[in-house]
Amino acid sequence: MHDDQQILDLLRSLDRLPGPDHAEFPDGFDHGEAEARATALSERLSEEFGAPCSLDETQHAGCYFKVRVPAALTEAGVLLCIQLSNYGRLAAVTTPSPDSHADLDDAVAEGALSAVDRRRVESALAELGYVIVPLRLLHLRYDGVTWLADDVPGAAVLSYGPHAGEATWWTRFFEFL
């Protein structure tokens, strides 16, 4: 696992990658390769959980793919959503926890995620070279180099938490832009 400072350094490094006029993906982003890796993740999780896990594609966002593990397949009976960023193989794992930006540790403690299911997801992501970014870091105020840091009216921003109304690292790498 990575410590928080290493992950924040990674986010800042990825934020500085050259890209087109938009912030959806960096120059050289290979959609086909990202789709193949996301498909492999979906298949791996389907095998781990014993039934199909869906793969959804999004556009105009900092992430192109989401893998969903249906609630009926998890020990805690809750949906798991793994979002895959277009940058640096970043992954974010969410549950419908009362605290919508709880980290995996919190989700396990709250009973929204079992330790066994957590290991299944973490193992599959690690096997495919993804870096899980703790949600507590993604929900820090964005202070990077793109136009999102300029407090642009109409920018995609969080509507909850300590930075409500401001762009966060989640906005930068996982949100619709």
Side-chain angles (χ1 to χ4, degrees):
M1 283 291 140
H2 301 278
D3 74 356
D4 287 0
Q5 190 57 55
Q6 286 177 310
I7 291 179
L8 288 170
D9 290 346
L10 174 62
L11 295 178
R12 287 187 175 91
S13 172
L14 294 170
D15 187 45
R16 290 187 300 274
L17 289 176
D21 291 336
H22 55 75
E24 293 171 29
F25 51 83
D27 285 345
F29 174 70
D30 186 337
H31 183 270
E33 192 269 331
E35 183 174 25
R37 202 172 52 252
T39 298
L41 178 63
S42 177
E43 291 169 352
R44 171 80 158 70
L45 290 173
S46 294
E47 182 180 309
E48 281 290 325
F49 284 91
C53 296
S54 66
L55 176 63
D56 302 320
E57 185 170 1
T58 57
Q59 295 181 0
H60 309 297
C63 70
Y64 259 90
F65 298 100
K66 296 178 187 180
V67 178
R68 296 179 196 275
V69 179
L73 303 181
T74 67
E75 289 187 1
V78 297
L79 171 75
L80 297 178
C81 183
I82 299 98
Q83 298 195 76
L84 307 173
S85 177
N86 302 335
Y87 288 82
R89 295 188 182 186
L90 302 178
V93 181
T94 60
T95 65
S97 166
D99 178 3
S100 60
H101 56 278
D103 285 323
L104 295 180
D105 290 336
D106 298 330
V108 170
E110 294 168 3
L113 178 66
S114 75
V116 170
D117 289 344
R118 176 186 180 167
R119 282 190 299 277
R120 289 176 178 169
V121 170
E122 287 178 332
S123 175
L125 287 166
E127 184 179 292
L128 291 164
Y130 289 102
V131 174
I132 300 172
V133 182
L135 296 178
R136 72 180 175 281
L137 300 179
L138 289 172
H139 291 296
L140 294 174
R141 189 179 69 75
Y142 175 74
D143 59 356
V145 299
T146 73
W147 57 270
L148 289 169
D150 297 335
D151 200 22
V152 176
V157 295
L158 282 179
S159 59
Y160 57 87
H163 300 294
E166 297 178 310
T168 64
W169 288 100
W170 173 271
T171 309
R172 173 65 177 99
F173 291 116
F174 292 95
E175 192 59 71
F176 289 96
L177 298 169

